[in-house]
Structure formats: C-alpha cells, structure tokens
Amino acid sequence: DVKVTQSSRYLVKRTGEKVFLECVQDMDHENMFWYRQDPGLGLRLIYFSYDVKMKEKGDIPEGYSVSREKKERFSLILESASTNQTSMYLCASSLNPGQGGGYTFGSGTRLTVV
Amino acid sequence: AQKITQTQPGMFVQEKEAVTLDCTYDTSDPSYGLFWYKQPSSGEMIFLIYQGSYDQQNATEGRYSLNFQKARKSANLVISASQLGDSAMYFCAMREGRSYNTDKLIFGTGTRLQVFP
C-alpha cells in the first residue's frame, strides 16, 4: 500500500528547541509539501519541494526551514520552536501536473510547544 | 492571487438527506484543478473528488458529486444520502500551476459537517 509516512503522531517540545519533522513517501513522487493546520484557518502551505535539494517558500515560511536530500524524504525544521508553532503539521506528495495524479497526505504530526 | 473560500464553518444534516457544501475560488489561470478532501477526527486527509477546469461534465464519485459552475467560480460538493460516517471536516482545495516548480494545492478553511440520526 503506497503511502506518506510522518515519523511522529504526537510531539511535545520545549520553547527554543530545534525540532525536526520527518516525512517519507514511497511513491517516487517529485513534489512534496509541508502544511500546518489550525482551527478556522484551514491548511496553510509552509514550504514545498519539486526536486531533490530544491525548495520553494509557501505562504507562511517564517520560522521554518526544510531539507530534501533524497527524493523520498522531506524534512521540516523548526530552528527555535515557539509556542505559536503549536499546530498540526501535514506532509503531502504528488506527481508533476503534467503527469496527472492527485496529492497523498500523511497522517499528520500534532506538535505542542511548551 | 489564488484563493479558496468556504463560508460555512459548520453544517448539520439528517441521515439519508442530501447536503451541499459551498466552495468558491478565485484564480486568473485558465488551467486549474479543484479537489474536495474529507478529514475525520483521526486526522488523515481522504481524497473525495476532482474537477479539472476544462472538464465539460460535473465530476461524480459514488455519493459525491461536484456542482461546477465555472462562470460563478464555484465548486460545491453535494453528498447524497448522508450517513453517520460522513461526519467530518471537509476541505475544498485548488491546484494552480502547470509547471513543475509552481504546482501547489491551496485550501479553504473547511466546513465541519455533522450528520444526526
């Protein structure tokens, strides 16, 4: 069964910690995405990547960075976690538009920063 | 800039009745795709239905249909014969960008649907 796997379902971190959220897909998709989901705001795009070592800023990149060293893995990094980064984080992957196909999502990581 | 608007924060429907969830969008690109996703309380995003901007007919998938009105820029989801298991958060989303490095999915704020017996 093809899928997108996020390494942690729940995570609690302290303010100021460096936090890594990992996402792995086994579908050989070119594109990968990180979203955060907050009540009343829907899903907002943080960063996306269309190829290894390539990245593009989404709508809310401040306070985050990403890494894509291998095609199947896309990491979201919180350099110095803050309480306003407490949220649900969703990873997704897709084929390029020209190749059709939709998006596949991971199960999400609920991050709490205390 | 592209935008998705869902104006219904919450909706109630009785079991076996039909319900329409509203979605309007804004884009200047003639080529785009519209998606609906379901998110149960467990958190996973479940793909429901897709409509391409050049598709001539409204998309249907089982009990789900998409009422696509291009001139009005609306893409409402219709769920027929609601079931208790349909209770969830529903998101409308738009894919804009035909080139590989601009492809991304933009979401609305969601509608929480509750189905009661």
Side-chain angles (χ1 to χ4, degrees):
Chain A
D1 192 19
V2 292
K3 57 184 172 183
V4 175
T5 303
Q6 294 183 232
S7 54
S8 303
R9 190 82 172 101
Y10 298 93
L11 213 51
V12 180
K13 295 293 182 180
R14 295 195 179 277
T15 301
E17 274 193 79
K18 189 169 186 176
V19 181
F20 292 85
L21 302 184
E22 305 288 345
C23 176
V24 177
Q25 52 98 359
D26 62 2
M27 295 166 286
D28 202 34
H29 283 174
E30 288 82 6
N31 301 342
M32 296 188 75
F33 307 82
W34 275 106
Y35 291 88
R36 66 175 280 177
Q37 181 180 1
D38 301 288
L41 298 178
L43 279 74
R44 293 178 293 167
L45 182 63
I46 305 171
Y47 267 98
F48 65 106
S49 168
Y50 54 89
D51 201 353
V52 175
K53 297 189 186 295
M54 305 304 288
K55 61 184 180 183
E56 293 284 339
K57 291 180 180 179
D59 298 317
I60 52 165
E62 297 78 19
Y64 303 94
S65 62
V66 290
S67 172
R68 193 165 180 202
E69 296 295 321
K70 294 183 178 181
K71 189 176 185 180
E72 67 270 18
R73 186 180 295 271
F74 191 36
S75 303
L76 179 69
I77 303 157
L78 286 65
E79 296 290 343
S80 177
S82 64
T83 54
N84 63 13
Q85 292 178 310
T86 291
S87 186
M88 169 73 104
Y89 290 86
L90 288 159
C91 175
S93 71
S94 75
L95 289 168
N96 287 332
Q99 297 169 288
Y103 289 63
T104 302
F105 284 83
S107 300
T109 296
R110 190 167 291 281
L111 173 68
T112 302
V113 182
V114 298
Chain B
Q2 64 271 32
K3 188 178 179 182
I4 292 283
T5 303
Q6 294 180 255
T7 57
Q8 305 156 313
M11 290 283 286
F12 287 90
V13 66
Q14 190 165 31
E15 202 176 5
K16 300 180 185 177
E17 297 292 311
V19 63
T20 298
L21 306 184
D22 294 342
C23 173
T24 59
Y25 60 92
D26 189 20
T27 179
S28 56
D29 195 325
S31 176
Y32 52 89
L34 296 158
F35 298 75
W36 277 93
Y37 284 87
K38 172 184 178 181
Q39 187 183 44
S41 55
S42 54
E44 76 270 28
M45 296 288 281
I46 301 168
F47 167 74
L48 296 178
I49 196 165
Y50 169 80
Q51 179 86 44
S53 59
Y54 295 117
D55 293 344
Q56 295 297 312
Q57 295 191 337
N58 288 345
T60 59
E61 290 286 347
R63 294 186 300 110
Y64 304 107
S65 61
L66 200 152
N67 184 1
F68 182 45
Q69 298 188 42
K70 198 170 183 177
R72 298 179 62 182
K73 293 189 174 180
S74 75
N76 297 341
L77 176 71
V78 180
I79 305 174
S80 63
S82 297
Q83 302 172 356
L84 296 177
D86 293 334
S87 294
M89 197 75 172
Y90 288 80
F91 289 99
C92 180
M94 178 171 65
R95 179 186 213 168
E96 186 185 82
R98 282 167 285 179
S99 61
Y100 69 99
N101 62 342
T102 61
D103 170 48
K104 55 186 177 179
L105 204 57
I106 305 298
F107 285 83
T109 53
T111 296
R112 182 167 298 282
L113 176 67
Q114 294 189 60
V115 182
F116 59 94

